[in-house]
Amino acid sequence: MKTRVKAKNLIFKGLKIISWIIFVGLSVEAGGLIVNFIFSLLRPEFIQNLYQKLDMSQLYQSSKLAFFGMYGFVLTVSILKAVLFYQVVLLVTKIDLPKPFNSWVSKQILKISYYTLSVGLLSFIARKLAMDLGHNGFTLNQLDPFWADSQAFILMAAVIYIIGTIFSKGVEYQEELEETV
């Protein structure tokens, strides 16, 4: 029995570390993209030396509206992913494993599902918009990696929402049980 508890604690500590690593990585990516955006406006010749080398200067020359719209999606999705994993980090660092059914955990899981859905929907919309711009002669293939996983995020949001709802019911039942005892 003690071995099982130690293994679960070890796995949970590993998940904490992984969530921190993902959060830091996504934060660096979002920051890098913000710097890339600023340089693409002020000093586009330096883009080749920057993170991700996201050069959309041809789009900027062709249509400033399309440039700002697509870069807005890229930045919003990358920032939302970092915020999403910040919420995950909060959850895994503040959860009380012996008593996980509390209203804070339930609300945090639901909040994570909303951020996940936001990432998925915005990515999906951006991908469709990029495809439409592609049909109008704009080349936006370099943006595909930023929203390739939109459908996975939408599905993941549904699963997380279901888990959050189950947690909410667990909290309600636990509170009822505590009241009757």
Side-chain angles (χ1 to χ4, degrees):
M1 185 72 165
K2 281 187 172 184
T3 319
R4 224 185 278 175
V5 172
K6 284 183 181 180
K8 286 181 183 178
N9 285 339
L10 184 63
I11 290 171
F12 198 73
K13 285 180 183 180
L15 290 174
K16 281 183 188 180
I17 292 168
I18 290 170
S19 62
W20 270 106
I21 291 170
I22 293 171
F23 167 65
V24 169
L26 290 172
S27 297
V28 167
E29 179 179 43
L33 288 168
I34 290 169
V35 169
N36 201 349
F37 173 70
I38 292 168
F39 269 90
S40 67
L41 294 175
L42 302 176
R43 303 292 296 254
E45 64 273 9
F46 287 120
I47 291 176
Q48 295 305 319
N49 302 326
L50 297 177
Y51 177 75
Q52 298 249 1
K53 299 178 175 112
L54 186 58
D55 185 9
M56 294 176 41
S57 55
Q58 288 181 342
L59 182 62
Y60 183 80
Q61 299 301 321
S62 301
S63 170
K64 288 180 178 47
L65 179 64
F67 171 83
F68 284 109
M70 295 313 297
Y71 229 122
F73 275 116
V74 168
L75 293 175
T76 303
V77 167
S78 66
I79 291 168
L80 273 175
K81 284 180 180 181
V83 171
L84 165 66
F85 269 88
Y86 176 71
Q87 297 301 319
V88 171
V89 165
L90 282 178
L91 177 65
V92 298
T93 56
K94 292 186 177 184
I95 192 169
D96 182 17
L97 283 181
K99 289 185 172 185
F101 288 99
N102 60 58
S103 59
W104 184 84
V105 171
S106 172
K107 288 176 187 173
Q108 194 67 13
I109 293 172
L110 290 174
K111 191 184 292 187
I112 289 169
S113 75
Y114 300 144
Y115 278 113
T116 306
L117 182 63
S118 298
V119 168
L121 289 177
L122 282 174
S123 297
F124 185 79
I125 292 167
R127 188 177 74 197
K128 292 298 182 186
L129 185 59
M131 288 171 49
D132 288 345
L133 288 171
H135 293 305
N136 291 324
F138 296 104
T139 305
L140 300 172
N141 296 338
Q142 74 270 28
L143 299 178
D144 289 344
F146 292 103
W147 33 74
D149 51 2
S150 63
Q151 293 167 327
F153 271 94
I154 293 170
L155 180 60
M156 188 170 41
V159 171
I160 295 170
Y161 182 80
I162 291 168
I163 293 169
T165 303
I166 292 169
F167 251 81
S168 295
K169 287 295 179 185
V171 169
E172 286 178 31
Y173 292 144
Q174 183 175 337
E175 289 172 354
E176 286 177 18
L177 183 63
E178 289 172 357
E179 287 175 7
T180 55
V181 173

